[in-house]
Amino acid sequence: MDGNGRWARKRGMPREYGHSVGARVFKAVSTYCQDRGVEYVTTYALSTENLKNRSRQELNAIFLLLKEYIKDALVTAPKRNTRVKFPGDRSAFSPELIEMMDEVEEKTSGYKYLLNIAVNYGGRDEIVRAVNRLIAGGYKSVTEDDITSALDTGNCPPPDMIIRTGCELRLSNFMLWQAAYSEFYFTDTLWPDFGEKDVDAAIEEYSRRQRRFGSA
Ligand code: FPP
């Protein structure tokens, strides 16, 4: 969801305002993705690096938006047949936020469409936690499948396409393991300006890609 801060600054507003519009846009865009038949959507809401390097004020605003999102999802997600999950290391969050995340995950666990909201998420950290889980479970050596299913995202297939907004051409520690064969889509559009026509354009582009998974 890159570009929230720049979008707000351009309007003479604080970065936090960009995040609040960004959260609203995520709700609209994820709903539209489902309308287009996309069953798995993951957003990178807060990286492990963001948590270390953003101001307390900005982080508090993001935590507040997460709580608002969860309160709303408890009502709206079941109506939209939607499961909400929070990949990432939530141990750094307040007990209140952890409890809210647990509650919405549990109450929506049976629904079809998955929305992953990655928070305090880092691809490297996720792999390390997965391997440690396996070691704690008694594994002496591991296979690719073992790691895949021990990841926070063990519940969903790897992303077909990764969209990055806001002119940034990097992966920034997002889904390092899962992205092995993902298609990449970069756009200059700042996240708060991202909308249905941008989803359509990304899907259109995806349909033109040839996925070979190493074949000739
Ligand atoms: C990236 O833009 C965005 C973030 C680091 C935070 C995004 C978090 C939210 C929108 C709130 C919670 C999300 C949901 C779905 C409830 P940036 O700050 O790096 O912007 P910039 O690239 O313009 O500086």
Side-chain angles (χ1 to χ4, degrees):
M1 297 191 284
D2 268 295
N4 291 345
R6 279 167 283 162
W7 186 91
R9 286 288 183 219
K10 271 193 191 169
R11 286 159 180 77
M13 298 294 280
R15 299 176 56 79
E16 293 77 15
Y17 175 67
H19 295 320
S20 81
V21 176
R24 237 175 23 234
V25 166
F26 173 71
K27 205 175 161 218
V29 165
S30 57
T31 301
Y32 184 64
C33 286
Q34 294 174 342
D35 292 343
R36 291 280 330 246
V38 180
E39 285 184 36
Y40 304 90
V41 173
T42 299
T43 188
Y44 201 6
L46 193 69
S47 69
T48 46
E49 291 75 20
N50 290 151
L51 195 69
K52 288 183 201 122
N53 299 320
R54 298 288 169 115
S55 70
R56 188 34 54 192
Q57 179 178 317
E58 186 168 351
L59 291 172
N60 284 343
I62 291 171
F63 295 145
L64 208 59
L65 289 167
L66 284 167
K67 287 181 188 168
E68 280 170 13
Y69 182 88
I70 293 170
K71 278 188 203 145
D72 179 73
L74 282 167
V75 181
T76 56
K79 291 184 192 150
R80 290 200 54 89
N81 203 6
T82 297
R83 222 165 5 135
V84 181
K85 286 193 70 76
F86 296 91
D89 178 5
R90 70 185 70 173
S91 65
F93 299 142
S94 69
E96 186 196 4
L97 182 54
I98 295 172
E99 203 177 302
M100 290 175 80
M101 287 173 168
D102 289 345
E103 184 187 359
V104 75
E105 284 191 350
E106 193 201 310
K107 292 205 166 137
T108 62
S109 64
Y111 296 107
K112 174 179 172 182
Y113 293 99
L114 178 65
L115 288 187
N116 275 325
I117 299 171
V119 282
N120 194 22
Y121 175 89
R124 290 180 176 180
D125 178 66
E126 182 190 33
I127 294 166
V128 170
R129 285 185 294 104
V131 171
N132 280 328
R133 254 181 228 137
L134 293 168
I135 293 170
Y139 284 73
K140 297 249 174 339
S141 68
V142 294
T143 64
E144 289 193 9
D145 285 347
D146 294 331
I147 293 184
T148 300
S149 37
L151 293 172
D152 298 343
T153 57
N155 57 334
C156 67
D160 289 319
M161 180 173 252
I162 295 178
I163 298 174
R164 185 155 191 179
T165 56
C167 304
E168 308 282 8
L169 307 180
R170 292 183 300 279
L171 202 47
S172 297
N173 206 5
F174 181 67
M175 289 197 156
L176 298 182
W177 182 272
Q178 302 90 327
Y181 276 98
S182 300
E183 298 293 325
F184 289 89
Y185 184 84
F186 295 106
T187 167
D188 292 350
T189 303
L190 302 178
W191 175 254
D193 290 326
F194 199 85
E196 294 186 359
K197 65 176 181 4
D198 302 285
V199 174
D200 290 341
I203 292 177
E204 177 74 33
E205 171 63 27
Y206 179 78
S207 69
R208 281 196 291 270
R209 302 275 176 97
Q210 278 204 328
R211 304 190 73 190
R212 297 195 291 126
F213 298 100
S215 66

